[in-house]
Amino acid sequence: MAADLIARLLELKGQAPSIPFPGDERELDALRVKYLGKSGIIPLLSREMAGLPKEQKPEAGKLLQEVRAAVETIINNATHKLKVEKIQKDIDGEFFDITLPGAEPSFGARHPLTAVMDEIAGIFTGMGFQIEEGPEVESDYYNFEALNFPPDHPARDMQDTFHLPDVKRLLRTHTSPVQPRAMERYGPPLSVLAPGKVYRCDSDVTHSPVFHQVEGFTIDRKVTMGDLKGTLQTFIHRLYGPKTNVRLRPSFFPFVEPGAELDVSCIICGGKGCRVCKNTGWLEVLGAGMIHPNVLKSGNIDPDTWSGFAFGMGIERLAMLKYGVDDIRLFYENDMRFLRQF
Ligand code: FA5
């Protein structure tokens, strides 16, 4: 029995070089099943080896390994050869026109809101303003209280606030909280520009729940309304051209006194009257005023020595006017046909 097994292994080893090389997938599978399958020759012999006397096991084991290696070499070579043949066949069957133009990758561009924001920042840093940022998740204190909105004051309803479950925290409704933050941090004199995202429960063609504002303010000795008007006029002329007229209209914000809104002559019709300016010839672009003494006090600044002006504007509104865009939502849809125009 033992001698018989060794003889059979020797015979198999002798036959290995003449195993026919598989010509296709079917033959390859048949070979694999015949030698290596569960009931194939090699596993069967391997099981038989268990009954061999101990001293013959090494010789039988070595022979079995040699047969297995020979069969596996054939299977591996055939697998590789069939794979290469298949690739070659696919290539031969395919027509590839190398004279066709390649597919061009699409290039990105600056988003129009980023472009307007950068332009605004460039104009104000040119006038000596430093850029500051504040948190978007803000405390009730900086968003309202430090800005002279007393608790339960109806002016809080002017801005529809997203309150967070933690009652004292909210998504900032404007960039004005950067005013008391920067005052506390740097002290006067100070000129700051604070761009960033703000949030309000508000949504239609000219209002978005998330939008961008830029806050600006200057604090120094003897700052006046004249400084405010001159600064904003210079800014508007640089952004929309020197022919744009500006006017200040009285308005109310709890954190400024007096408060004003700035209108520009309609960019679309040049002031003659059109649909965009509702035939008034004017467009409101920002809120502004002289910083309220209570706000200076919140920022640890003495209102008897120092005074300041502040302004805040919506970037989307300025961008809509600059580029003649009539629906604010276009800025957020990321439609490449829209974005490519800028
Ligand atoms: C304010 O937010 C004040 N903090 C501005 C200010 C700063 C006044 C400093 C005085 C001194 P108001 O709520 O008006 O003001 O908003 C300012 C601008 O944000 C508006 O003129 C408008 O252009 C823009 N805006 C307001 N709500 C939205 C909205 N939902 N979507 C897009 N833009 C908006």
Side-chain angles (χ1 to χ4, degrees):
M1 170 75 183
D4 178 41
L5 179 56
I6 292 196
R8 274 186 290 144
L9 282 168
L10 281 168
E11 192 188 339
L12 266 180
K13 189 184 161 189
Q15 286 168 355
S18 46
I19 294 175
F21 195 79
D24 56 29
E25 289 287 344
R26 208 176 45 80
E27 287 177 15
L28 177 64
D29 263 351
L31 181 70
R32 194 181 285 121
V33 171
K34 181 176 171 187
Y35 283 91
L36 304 174
K38 237 180 180 175
S39 322
I41 293 171
I42 291 174
L44 280 180
L45 290 173
S46 172
R47 285 198 281 279
E48 266 185 57
M49 264 178 54
L52 275 185
K54 207 173 155 205
E55 63 280 10
Q56 288 181 347
K57 279 189 178 165
E59 188 190 353
K62 187 166 168 278
L63 282 169
L64 189 68
Q65 273 320 315
E66 284 169 354
V67 175
R68 183 196 294 276
V71 173
E72 282 178 352
T73 305
I74 297 173
I75 290 176
N76 289 343
N77 290 346
T79 307
H80 178 71
K81 185 164 176 273
L82 290 173
K83 203 166 153 188
V84 171
E85 281 173 4
K86 183 172 182 313
I87 293 171
Q88 190 58 48
K89 208 168 136 206
D90 287 351
I91 293 172
D92 291 346
E94 205 178 76
F95 174 70
F96 181 64
D97 182 354
I98 55 160
T99 64
L100 280 176
E104 271 185 43
S106 56
F107 288 97
R110 265 194 321 173
H111 192 278
L113 291 179
T114 312
V116 171
M117 193 97 102
D118 287 350
E119 194 175 346
I120 295 172
I123 295 170
F124 281 103
T125 47
M127 291 194 264
F129 283 68
Q130 72 184 67
I131 307 279
E132 275 296 305
E133 283 184 356
E136 288 169 27
V137 174
E138 188 50 284
S139 64
D140 181 273
Y141 174 76
Y142 283 111
N143 198 79
F144 290 123
E145 228 173 295
L147 291 169
N148 198 35
F149 287 85
D152 305 321
H153 191 281
R156 287 180 180 229
D157 298 338
M158 283 163 69
Q159 302 179 354
D160 301 311
T161 313
F162 284 112
H163 289 279
L164 297 179
D166 161 5
V167 239
K168 285 276 160 205
R169 305 226 293 166
L170 41 84
L171 296 181
R172 68 175 179 187
T173 56
H174 51 173
T175 40
S176 301
V178 181
Q179 285 189 40
R181 282 182 176 278
M183 290 177 203
E184 281 174 0
R185 190 160 177 197
Y186 301 106
L190 189 61
S191 275
V192 164
L193 191 80
K197 283 197 183 80
V198 299
Y199 302 81
R200 291 186 197 177
C201 311
D202 214 355
S203 187
D204 60 39
V205 291
T206 55
H207 295 88
S208 157
V210 186
F211 60 103
H212 299 79
Q213 283 191 343
V214 172
E215 187 85 7
F217 62 95
T218 286
I219 299 170
D220 209 330
R221 293 169 205 273
K222 303 196 176 77
V223 171
T224 66
M225 229 20 210
D227 296 317
L228 170 65
K229 190 171 181 188
T231 305
L232 292 178
Q233 187 159 20
T234 307
F235 161 63
I236 292 294
H237 285 173
R238 297 215 175 131
L239 189 68
Y240 289 126
K243 292 210 174 99
T244 319
N245 290 323
V246 300
R247 72 175 185 193
L248 285 172
R249 239 182 329 99
S251 184
F252 172 76
F253 300 95
F255 35 94
V256 285
E257 180 57 38
E261 275 175 327
L262 182 103
D263 296 338
V264 297
S265 54
C266 181
I267 320 287
I268 312 291
C269 65
K272 291 190 200 80
C274 68
R275 195 172 60 89
V276 176
C277 62
K278 300 194 181 87
N279 287 318
T280 61
W282 294 95
L283 292 163
E284 177 234 309
V285 292
L286 56 84
M290 298 305 292
I291 300 175
H292 197 287
N294 288 347
V295 178
L296 291 172
K297 280 187 215 153
S298 303
N300 304 323
I301 293 177
D302 177 5
D304 294 328
T305 313
W306 304 94
S307 57
F309 66 72
F311 55 86
M313 52 198 148
I315 305 288
E316 280 78 354
R317 183 152 176 80
L318 294 173
M320 284 168 88
L321 293 174
K322 193 169 169 75
Y323 299 123
V325 174
D326 60 5
D327 188 336
I328 196 169
R329 291 167 292 204
L330 287 166
F331 288 125
Y332 311 113
E333 284 166 0
N334 284 336
D335 183 333
M336 288 305 287
R337 291 167 301 179
F338 171 74
L339 295 177
R340 268 202 206 102
Q341 299 174 76
F342 302 97

Coordinates of all heavy atoms in Angstrom, one line a residue, residues 1 6 16-17 20 22 24 30 43 60-61 73 76 110 146 166 185 203 233 236 238 258 264 268 270 272 293 319 342:
M1 N 0.8 -1.2 0.0 CA 0.0 0.0 0.0 C 0.9 1.3 0.0 O 0.7 2.1 -0.9 CB -0.9 0.0 1.2 CG -1.7 1.2 1.5 SD -3.0 1.4 0.4 CE -3.6 3.0 0.9
I6 N 3.9 5.6 -3.2 CA 5.1 6.3 -3.6 C 5.3 6.0 -5.1 O 5.6 7.0 -5.9 CB 6.3 5.8 -2.8 CG1 6.1 6.3 -1.4 CG2 7.6 6.3 -3.4 CD1 7.3 6.3 -0.5
A16 N 3.9 14.8 -15.2 CA 3.6 16.3 -15.0 C 4.0 17.1 -16.3 O 3.2 17.9 -16.8 CB 4.1 16.8 -13.8
P17 N 5.2 16.9 -16.8 CA 5.7 17.7 -17.9 C 4.8 17.6 -19.1 O 4.8 18.4 -20.0 CB 7.1 17.3 -18.2 CG 7.5 16.6 -16.9 CD 6.3 16.0 -16.3
P20 N -1.3 18.4 -20.8 CA -1.6 19.3 -21.9 C -1.9 20.7 -21.4 O -2.6 20.9 -20.4 CB -2.8 18.7 -22.6 CG -3.1 17.4 -21.9 CD -2.3 17.3 -20.7
P22 N -3.7 24.1 -21.0 CA -5.1 24.4 -21.3 C -5.2 25.5 -22.3 O -4.5 26.5 -22.2 CB -5.7 24.9 -19.9 CG -4.7 24.6 -18.9 CD -3.4 24.4 -19.6
D24 N -8.2 27.1 -23.2 CA -9.3 28.1 -22.9 C -9.7 27.9 -21.5 O -9.2 27.1 -20.7 CB -10.5 27.9 -23.9 CG -11.1 26.5 -23.9 OD1 -11.0 25.8 -22.8 OD2 -11.6 26.0 -24.9
A30 N -11.2 22.5 -15.9 CA -11.2 21.1 -15.8 C -9.9 20.6 -15.2 O -9.9 19.7 -14.3 CB -11.4 20.5 -17.2
P43 N -5.6 16.3 -3.4 CA -6.2 16.1 -2.1 C -6.4 14.6 -1.7 O -6.2 14.3 -0.5 CB -7.5 16.9 -2.2 CG -7.3 17.8 -3.2 CD -6.4 17.2 -4.2
A60 N 7.2 10.8 0.6 CA 5.9 10.9 0.0 C 5.5 12.4 0.0 O 5.0 12.9 -1.1 CB 4.8 10.1 0.7
G61 N 5.7 13.1 1.1 CA 5.3 14.5 1.2 C 6.1 15.3 0.2 O 5.5 16.2 -0.5
T73 N 2.0 25.5 -11.4 CA 2.8 26.3 -12.4 C 2.0 26.4 -13.7 O 1.8 27.5 -14.3 CB 4.2 25.8 -12.6 OG1 4.8 25.7 -11.4 CG2 5.0 26.6 -13.6
N76 N -1.1 28.6 -13.2 CA -0.8 30.0 -13.2 C -0.4 30.6 -14.6 O -0.9 31.7 -15.0 CB 0.3 30.3 -12.2 CG -0.1 30.1 -10.8 OD1 -1.4 30.1 -10.5 ND2 0.8 29.9 -9.9
R110 N -13.5 81.8 -9.2 CA -14.0 82.3 -7.9 C -15.5 82.5 -7.9 O -16.0 83.0 -8.9 CB -13.3 83.7 -7.7 CG -12.0 83.5 -6.8 CD -11.5 84.8 -6.3 NE -11.6 85.9 -7.3 CZ -11.4 87.1 -7.0 NH1 -11.0 87.5 -5.8 NH2 -11.5 88.1 -8.0
A146 N -25.0 93.5 24.2 CA -23.9 94.4 24.1 C -24.2 95.5 23.1 O -23.5 96.5 23.0 CB -22.6 93.7 23.9
D166 N -29.5 75.5 23.6 CA -28.9 76.2 24.7 C -29.4 77.7 24.6 O -29.0 78.4 23.7 CB -27.4 76.0 24.6 CG -26.7 77.1 25.4 OD1 -27.3 77.8 26.1 OD2 -25.4 77.1 25.3
R185 N -11.1 93.7 22.6 CA -9.8 93.0 22.4 C -8.7 94.1 22.1 O -7.6 93.9 22.5 CB -10.0 92.1 21.1 CG -8.8 91.2 20.9 CD -9.3 90.1 20.0 NE -8.2 89.3 19.7 CZ -8.2 88.4 18.7 NH1 -9.3 88.3 18.0 NH2 -7.1 87.6 18.5
S203 N -36.7 83.6 3.8 CA -36.4 83.0 2.5 C -37.3 83.4 1.4 O -38.5 83.1 1.5 CB -36.3 81.5 2.6 OG -35.8 80.9 1.4
Q233 N -19.1 107.0 0.7 CA -19.1 107.5 -0.6 C -17.9 107.0 -1.4 O -18.0 106.6 -2.6 CB -19.1 109.0 -0.6 CG -19.3 109.7 -1.9 CD -19.8 111.1 -1.8 OE1 -19.7 111.7 -0.8 NE2 -20.4 111.6 -2.9
I236 N -18.5 103.3 -2.3 CA -19.5 103.1 -3.3 C -18.9 103.5 -4.7 O -19.1 102.8 -5.7 CB -20.8 103.8 -3.0 CG1 -21.5 103.2 -1.8 CG2 -21.7 103.9 -4.3 CD1 -22.0 101.8 -2.0
R238 N -15.8 103.4 -5.6 CA -14.8 102.4 -6.0 C -15.5 101.1 -6.5 O -15.1 100.5 -7.4 CB -13.8 102.1 -4.9 CG -13.0 103.3 -4.6 CD -11.6 103.0 -4.2 NE -10.9 104.3 -4.0 CZ -10.1 104.6 -2.9 NH1 -9.9 103.6 -2.0 NH2 -9.6 105.7 -2.8
P258 N -27.1 109.0 15.8 CA -28.3 108.7 14.9 C -28.0 107.5 14.0 O -26.8 107.2 13.7 CB -28.4 110.0 14.1 CG -27.1 110.6 14.1 CD -26.4 110.2 15.4
V264 N -28.1 104.1 -2.9 CA -27.3 104.5 -4.1 C -28.2 104.7 -5.3 O -29.3 104.1 -5.3 CB -26.2 103.4 -4.5 CG1 -25.2 103.2 -3.3 CG2 -26.9 102.1 -4.9
I268 N -29.0 99.9 -12.2 CA -29.5 99.3 -13.4 C -30.0 100.4 -14.4 O -29.7 100.3 -15.5 CB -30.7 98.4 -13.0 CG1 -30.4 97.4 -11.9 CG2 -31.3 97.6 -14.3 CD1 -29.4 96.3 -12.2
G270 N -29.6 103.8 -13.8 CA -28.9 105.1 -13.6 C -29.7 106.1 -12.9 O -29.4 107.3 -13.0
K272 N -33.1 106.7 -13.4 CA -34.3 107.1 -14.1 C -35.5 106.5 -13.6 O -36.6 107.0 -13.7 CB -34.1 106.8 -15.6 CG -33.1 107.6 -16.3 CD -33.2 107.3 -17.8 CE -31.9 107.7 -18.5 NZ -30.8 106.7 -18.4
P293 N -23.5 105.3 22.5 CA -22.6 105.3 23.7 C -22.6 104.1 24.5 O -21.6 103.6 25.1 CB -23.1 106.5 24.5 CG -23.8 107.4 23.5 CD -24.3 106.5 22.4
A319 N -23.8 92.2 -4.6 CA -23.4 91.4 -5.8 C -24.6 91.4 -6.8 O -24.3 91.4 -8.0 CB -23.1 90.0 -5.3
F342 N -19.0 84.8 -14.5 CA -18.3 85.8 -13.7 C -16.8 85.8 -13.8 O -16.3 84.7 -13.8 CB -18.7 85.7 -12.2 CG -20.2 85.8 -12.0 CD1 -21.0 84.7 -11.9 CD2 -20.8 87.1 -12.1 CE1 -22.3 84.8 -11.8 CE2 -22.2 87.2 -12.0 CZ -23.0 86.0 -11.8

